[in-house]
Amino acid sequence: MTLSLYNTMTRTTSEFKPLVEGKVGIYLCGATVQGAPHIGHIRSGVNFDILRRWLTHLGYDVTFIRNVTDIDDKILHKAVHENIPWWEVAMKYEKAFAWAYETLNVQSPTYEPRATGHITQMVELMQTLIDNGSAYAPGNGDVYLDVRALKSYLTLSNQKLDDLQSTGDSEDSFKKDPRDFALWKAAKPGDPSWPTPWGAGRPGWHLECSAMAHAYLGAEFDIHGGGLDLIFPHHENEIAQSESAGWGFAKVWMHNAWVTTSGEKMSKSLGNSLLVSEIVKKVRPIELRWYLGSAHYRSMVEFSFEALEENSINFRRIEGFLIRASEILQRTPDISISEKFAAAMNDDLAVPTALADISDLVREGNSAITAGDNQSLGTIAAQVRGALYILGCDPFDSVFASGAGSNSSAMDGLVSLALAQREAARARKDFAAADAIRDQILELGIIIEDTPAGPRWTLAR
RNA sequence: GGUGGAGUGGCCGAGAGGCGAGGCUCAGGACUGCAAAUCCUGCCACACGGGUUCAAAUCCCGUCUCCACCUCCA
């Protein structure tokens, strides 16, 4: 059984073959740090984190690059607006993203390059492109890529150059063709700039990613990821620049779909952003991650708090099973991968199909608990935990320490005291007193369940 | 105008020629002092109109509706 992935370039799902046996290089377009992360941003991080975890499980040595775009128009605008230096804006939101990734258990990239740290590589790339006639510097300080000189263009979005709507941009008089795009933007007064042979300025967005991908992954690499909206123009332009420089560039292109609200794409301009920092006040981070990760990465997620809550209930059912299993087995379940889960994941990360397997396993596991079959329980619990680990939602992961098994011994002692009184009341058939204790404890946020092995308690979520 | 995606039961969501994924909700049952948790059973489907086929949610033709991208975007 081998891994198949959908490639946006070919519009088909085919077997994944790494360029170098046993190794995978991934470049994911990360954030432009101009605002706090909303759940759409973080979905991309979660989806590709699942891909990375799965590749790692399959035994690949994964080099995962996720860049930070720390210089761009919006960052500069924000700096002016807030009257602080542009680098303060960039760092502030870079930290906000880092917090969100960490909170949602997204593994840290192998390398996380910043655009401003790779100006040298960008200048070198531009020099190559100008030398071979692919790009030109018209003298105003800008550098453009000459799209008419390209052997091929728009192969990823499958469009024709002439079908593109004209931009109606009248300020582009220096361009040979209105569809030529800027590799480098001439410095404006007051803006940060870096020197180049063609004048001082700052990098265009597309140039950054080509230069950084090349710096860390080489002329060609396995997988390039990003959001659906990056296909055009960002990824097309990355391809154009990189191929013009003679690089093979990415072999597989993967794009995650949107998180939408009310059927519309979330975006800053619509003002309906749902910040990660706000949502984790309403549900636990592990539940938000479960919600974002449990849909197929190429399917749109229509966000609603109702759906989020429903998904959380589903997750708690699975989590509850694992916690009960660990109590009965008196140890944390192992991590193993079931064949069905593996088959689903190998089919272009078919997480929803894999979820059906998890549900079946949980049902079987619960039945094993009832039957007192601890051997089966151990096997099943390990497979459930293994699946959750790949999805980044392992309740025993220390990242989610506020979840399972974190009840302090002091608290356990106090609750046990109350439970002992309740058991005494039940023994003398004083059910009014027993129920009163249960109700009072419930008001404090603690749920009591009577099991054949005696009462157990958990914190209400 | 160009490119791409979607329409499945009360709700959310898989599947891609033949056995109704799964979850939530609802109804009933088992268990329980009562609950909770859990298990079992049931209810309710493939946007519309044609066609191909022994067989269509799935393939083909047409129609309707919705969404995204076409130089800010995860």
Side-chain angles (χ1 to χ4, degrees):
Chain A
M1 189 66 208
T2 52
L3 175 65
S4 292
L5 294 173
Y6 181 84
N7 186 350
T8 307
M9 184 61 87
T10 60
R11 313 269 168 179
T12 56
T13 302
S14 56
E15 187 181 336
F16 174 71
K17 287 188 184 129
L19 289 164
V20 179
E21 183 72 29
K23 291 179 187 287
V24 179
I26 303 177
Y27 186 92
L28 173 64
C29 285
T32 298
V33 284
Q34 43 136 337
H38 61 233
I39 54 173
H41 293 124
I42 216 71
R43 180 189 185 188
S44 182
V46 167
N47 284 157
F48 284 96
D49 188 52
I50 292 170
L51 169 67
R52 180 191 187 178
R53 284 166 184 261
W54 187 243
L55 287 167
T56 303
H57 164 75
L58 293 177
Y60 291 110
D61 177 10
V62 181
T63 302
F64 190 95
I65 311 297
R66 187 185 62 215
N67 72 292
V68 174
T69 297
D70 60 344
I71 180 74
D72 103 321
D73 288 343
K74 290 199 171 179
I75 292 171
L76 298 178
H77 288 156
K78 200 142 199 165
V80 170
H81 187 69
E82 296 186 12
N83 196 28
I84 54 176
W86 63 272
W87 60 81
E88 190 174 332
V89 174
M91 184 49 81
K92 181 166 121 186
Y93 294 118
E94 185 180 327
K95 284 182 174 171
F97 268 87
W99 172 85
Y101 287 130
E102 191 180 344
T103 301
L104 291 196
N105 198 22
V106 175
Q107 293 179 344
S108 178
T110 314
Y111 304 109
E112 191 166 16
R114 294 191 188 112
T116 53
H118 299 77
I119 302 292
T120 307
Q121 287 87 342
M122 295 177 207
V123 171
E124 283 171 6
L125 174 54
M126 281 193 287
Q127 187 66 258
T128 302
L129 294 175
I130 288 175
D131 288 349
N132 72 16
S134 306
Y136 59 98
N140 66 336
D142 286 349
V143 179
Y144 299 113
L145 195 87
D146 187 351
V147 297
R148 292 176 307 177
L150 295 167
K151 287 198 293 286
S152 66
Y153 187 45
L154 308 179
T155 50
L156 191 62
S157 58
N158 195 25
Q159 298 191 96
K160 294 185 179 71
L161 196 55
D162 293 335
D163 288 337
L164 294 182
Q165 288 180 344
S166 62
T167 58
D169 195 342
S170 60
E171 293 176 32
D172 289 329
S173 54
F174 287 93
K175 290 183 179 178
K176 290 185 188 173
D177 186 294
R179 290 158 300 204
D180 289 351
F181 60 89
L183 301 176
W184 193 259
K185 298 182 178 182
K188 292 182 193 136
D191 279 356
S193 67
W194 289 261
T196 76
W198 316 282
R202 60 191 172 82
W205 177 36
H206 317 304
L207 184 71
E208 302 169 4
C209 283
S210 288
M212 288 188 278
H214 180 259
Y216 293 92
L217 296 172
E220 59 179 358
F221 54 93
D222 299 296
I223 299 171
H224 191 131
L228 211 52
D229 60 331
L230 297 184
I231 292 174
F232 184 88
H234 186 53
H235 290 163
E236 293 287 15
N237 291 351
E238 279 187 56
I239 292 168
Q241 295 158 356
S242 302
E243 291 188 347
S244 295
W247 302 341
F249 214 54
K251 295 296 138 200
V252 179
W253 288 85
M254 295 178 69
H255 294 94
N256 65 278
W258 299 119
V259 178
T260 60
T261 52
S262 309
E264 289 179 6
K265 169 185 164 186
M266 255 182 14
S267 74
K268 277 145 282 195
S269 56
L270 276 175
N272 60 355
S273 303
L274 288 160
L275 300 180
V276 173
S277 56
E278 291 301 311
I279 295 190
V280 296
K281 290 175 184 169
K282 294 176 172 139
V283 297
R284 292 178 298 154
I286 197 172
E287 289 168 352
L288 175 57
R289 168 140 188 164
W290 177 259
Y291 177 69
L292 294 174
S294 59
H296 188 91
Y297 75 92
R298 288 193 281 122
S299 296
M300 192 178 80
V301 169
E302 168 68 19
F303 180 86
S304 71
F305 282 102
E306 291 75 17
L308 177 62
E309 180 57 27
E310 187 181 295
N311 247 261
S312 298
I313 289 169
N314 180 214
F315 177 73
R316 284 171 212 156
R317 175 182 140 79
I318 299 165
E319 181 187 37
F321 161 70
L322 278 182
I323 293 170
R324 261 176 275 127
S326 68
E327 287 170 1
I328 290 164
L329 299 169
Q330 297 193 308
R331 61 181 169 82
T332 306
D334 300 327
I335 290 179
S336 74
I337 302 297
S338 76
E339 280 182 30
K340 281 187 183 175
F341 182 82
M345 292 302 285
N346 278 330
D347 181 15
D348 193 34
L349 308 180
V351 174
T353 307
L355 255 40
D357 179 51
I358 295 174
S359 290
D360 289 343
L361 286 173
V362 168
R363 188 178 305 111
E364 288 171 32
N366 279 321
S367 296
I369 289 176
T370 306
D373 182 354
N374 285 4
Q375 191 175 345
S376 298
L377 178 60
T379 305
I380 291 167
Q383 292 180 342
V384 172
R385 187 178 175 213
L388 294 203
Y389 171 76
I390 296 296
L391 298 178
C393 295
D394 177 6
F396 299 104
D397 195 314
S398 59
V399 173
F400 302 120
S402 62
S406 68
N407 304 325
S408 73
S409 57
M411 181 139 154
D412 189 49
L414 284 171
V415 178
S416 297
L417 211 60
L419 286 181
Q421 293 202 350
R422 177 166 172 270
E423 285 308 291
R426 291 179 74 203
R428 64 176 184 267
K429 306 248 187 263
D430 183 356
F431 296 120
D435 290 350
I437 291 172
R438 184 169 65 194
D439 291 346
Q440 283 171 23
I441 287 184
L442 180 62
E443 274 187 40
L444 297 172
I446 293 164
I447 296 166
I448 292 176
E449 294 165 13
D450 295 322
T451 76
R456 67 186 287 269
W457 66 276
T458 48
L459 288 172
R461 300 214 143 84

